[in-house]
Amino acid sequence: MANEINIRRGIDWVTVLLYLSLVLIGYFNIYAAVYNPENPIAIFSLDHSAGRQLMFLGLATILVTFILFIDYKVYDSFAYIFYGFMILLLIATIFLGSDIKGSKSWIKLGSFSLQPAEFAKLVTALALSKYLSSQTVNLKRFSDLWKAAALILIPPVIIILQKETGSALTFAIFLVVLYREGLPGIYPALSLAFVVLLILSLLYSKWYILIGLVVLAVIFYYFILAKRDRKRQNVIRIAGIVLLFSTFTMGVDFFVNKVLQPHQQKRIKILVDPDADPLGAGWNVTQSKIAIGSGGFTGKGYLKGTQTKFDFVPEQSTDFIFCTIGEEWGFMGSLVLIGLYLAFLARILYLAELQRDKFARVYGYCVASIIFFHLLVNIGMTIGLMPVIGIPLPLVSYGGSSLWSFTILIFVFLKLDAHRSYKV
Amino acid sequence: MLESRKQVILFFFFTIGIIYISRLFYIQILDPKYKSFEVTNAIKREIEVPLRGQIYDRNGKLLVQNREVYNMYVTPREVEDLDTTRFCRVFNITRGYFDSTMNDAISYSKNRASLFLRQLSKEEFARVADAMVNFKGFSFEQSFFRTYPGHTLANALGYIAEIPKETYDNQETPYYRKGDYIGLTGIEKEYENELRGTRGIKFKLMDVHGADKGSYENGKFDTTAVVGSDLYSSIDMELQQLADSLFQGKVGSIVAIEPKTGEILVMGSYPTYDPNLLSGKAFSENYLNLIKDPDKPTFNRAISSFYRPGSTFKLVQAVVGQQQGVIDPRTSFIGSYSPMGCHGHGNHHMANLNNAVQFSCNPYFYNVFRKIINNSEHDSPFLAAREGLDRWHNMVGRFGFGRKLGIDLPGEKSQLLPDIALYDKYYGENGWKFSNIYSVSIGEGEVATDVLKLANMAAILANKGYYITPHLIKGIGSENSGVRKELLEVHQTGVQPQHFSAIYDGMQRVIEAGTARRAYIEDIPILGKTGTSQNRKGPDHGIFIAFAPRENPQIAIAAVVENGIWGGSSAGPICSLIIEKFIKGKIERRAFAEQVKNTRFVTVAASKAAR
């Protein structure tokens, strides 16, 4: 009894409220996305995605109850076991998984399909938190960094083998967590530099970038570096960085044109110029932008979207759900949704920083980072700022696996948070 | 140090958020390109083309009719379990046609309807209708094409065809789409705006496959199509068909006008063609054949052929001379000089005006025109001619010569009525006098007209001094309403009525005892005048103008038979039969009509072919 009362008091209702707003926005917009004005189906009917999403939500409530009643220490204690079990499941999926749209990432359980990859993030977050919360770990030490990196990189490697590249990319965001926990700033800085270089090398000829790099290096050496630092040693260092970046640029060029499969090449080229092939590979991006753009300031009104109604936008209830919101609710709706997400992220980071237990803090950062990465890629692709990568909009996109994995991810953190006062 | 990192991370998250919000602000609010109907591909503008107006003759008979046809479309995705052999048998098509058309349709779109068979008649449609239950994926759409039940009046009616590229490009307001039909000549062109009606635009919702998903915003922005107006023509179809038969084997033109109203009863240009040739599937082939024909059947001679009026012009000289006071009905020119001879009659024909008209006396009208031109105080014949010609030009111009009458047809020509400027150009300023221009006195030289103007002149004579703009359409939408105002305008020539009456006896004697005895009808008093239009390229053209009956005239008529030489023998009989038919309602002189039909003249084309 006492435990229950304490949980009700200790749970962060602000986060719960934000969670509820997001899942409800998701539910109503999934209904809008599948709504057929000629043949409207009742919102509760299980014959369409919205009805099923409601059922998923019901199951999520059971999951939440379950999480809140389990001892919070379980997550810390069993983190590695969960992780190990997940690795086995992911490997098993490669062999047992059913083929859905060319990806072998789904396991069929009766009439339901489950995507283990969706849960891999969660388990990796737990394992990483467990590892980083150990007193002896220091990310400045190369040996410790390697172990952390291995924890993060094993699941996505298997997921890539399932041909589910989108989900695999998510794991990159753990860099943010590592940074928070003491990873030298040079790593995220270099990563960011590489991302920028990557985008530049897609946009411009590699030769321009190479020349640009050399010019920047010269400017840096003669104008920014203090006179006393202009030593041979630094010349070598700068030359080394330039060489590294140049190799990367050449590598991107090679990678895009020689290594990537044609459909992946297209997705990246469309990001650079969606108008290049508006009816072919650029179709999704163009249609998605038209749907969102046609919403205007206040939108066309609930259930009145025309672009999203008639299948111009593909995957409208799952990966492209943001189009429905943008079209029917306009800029105001988009603003509210992004605002809610930012508030959600800020609240989790705020709570994470309040944790006295390092495990809970690291885990909080994992939760925020994973949600952030999904927003970054999902909304980014609908408005043409990111390549089309099929990952869902957290809590809003249709789909049981995604909804449950985010629900567990968030409520495990809330459970940990609810017990923060007991920590000394 | 690690504490500051939480701010870096938060800052990073919010920076991305702000970038995304800015991007959304740009595409949702600032950038107009995503908001127009054109880009919003879920909303299709569907154009509803209304039925084109039909055209009736003055007795309610259809000159131009829309005939229902059915086009068959196929939606490849919906085709199921098709018995191809049976299908081909039912529609009487070859397997090759089936395969190639079906492949085209599939490569166009599996979800959208493609045209499969064109223009099935109503009867064919009825025959196959029952079998259609077995042929899923095929549907019919009603369409129309122009038919011409009277097989006549080709040039005046004109034709419709796909909009030419140039017309399409030069539209002031973009109305037509590529491939739309538009009136290209004749009434179809002149009354295009009335005939075509108003297009409806429906904004329809489409899904990505192009399937119809109902109307947009409950049709708030839709406009309904308004059917094109029917036109009521003044043409008498039976009379027109009679003219066609009388003109068979001849080249020329005929126009008949109801003098009191200016309504055109007959407008023929020969050789003519069956207007049905330029409608439907064989348009291009037939069009090319018509264009290649050396007798130019597509050229409307009634309003654009260049003929000298010949002796018929003497009637104008007669009334203008009286109005100017230089002659009166008793004026005699016996003993006067003339460089022109007469058609083998004696000087007594110059005894008075009516005699001169009856026998078409060249010397008499030479003298009349000389008096008109030299009617001046100037001593110099050059200056006198200037003044005289100017006065004459103004008066004769009011008969419609040298200007467009304003008929409701495209392509009417002004033709030629000489003025000071023209002769100054030929001879230099003040370099000409009456002796240079006298051939105009008998309708030769620098005066030229078309058959419409001649028929209009006959109407002026019948009306004793005025005419109403000759026109073909006397009702738009319903009979006798909606006619353009300028078509009902009364044009006064400024010549007093008694001057016309003064030559009536002479005109009647032309038929009874003059040059047009072959045009005589026992119980209808016809007043007319023959003419011969000089032609450098071959035999002269025969001209005849007339109106009838003398009291309360009902019909004014003019005809030119090219290379027919004498108007009295070529054009006269044709006009006479038309008058008979119009006034009596039937032809009593059957044998005579047959004889006229079978008369042939050596045409330019025929003589060329003979060579």
Side-chain angles (χ1 to χ4, degrees), chain B residues 62-64 147-153 237 241 244 274-276:
Chain B
L62 273 167
L63 287 164
V64 183
T147 59
Y148 306 85
H151 302 270
T152 185
L153 205 66
M237 192 165 88
Q241 286 167 330
D244 291 355
D274 184 343
N276 291 297

Side-chain angles (χ1 to χ4, degrees), chain A residues 179 183 307 310 331 376 383, chain B residues 5 20 23 28 41-42 208:
Chain A
Y179 172 70
L183 181 76
Q307 297 304 106
F310 303 129
F331 178 68
L376 177 78
I383 55 179
Chain B
R5 290 195 169 185
Y20 280 18
R23 170 75 172 177
Q28 294 190 296
N41 38 21
V208 70

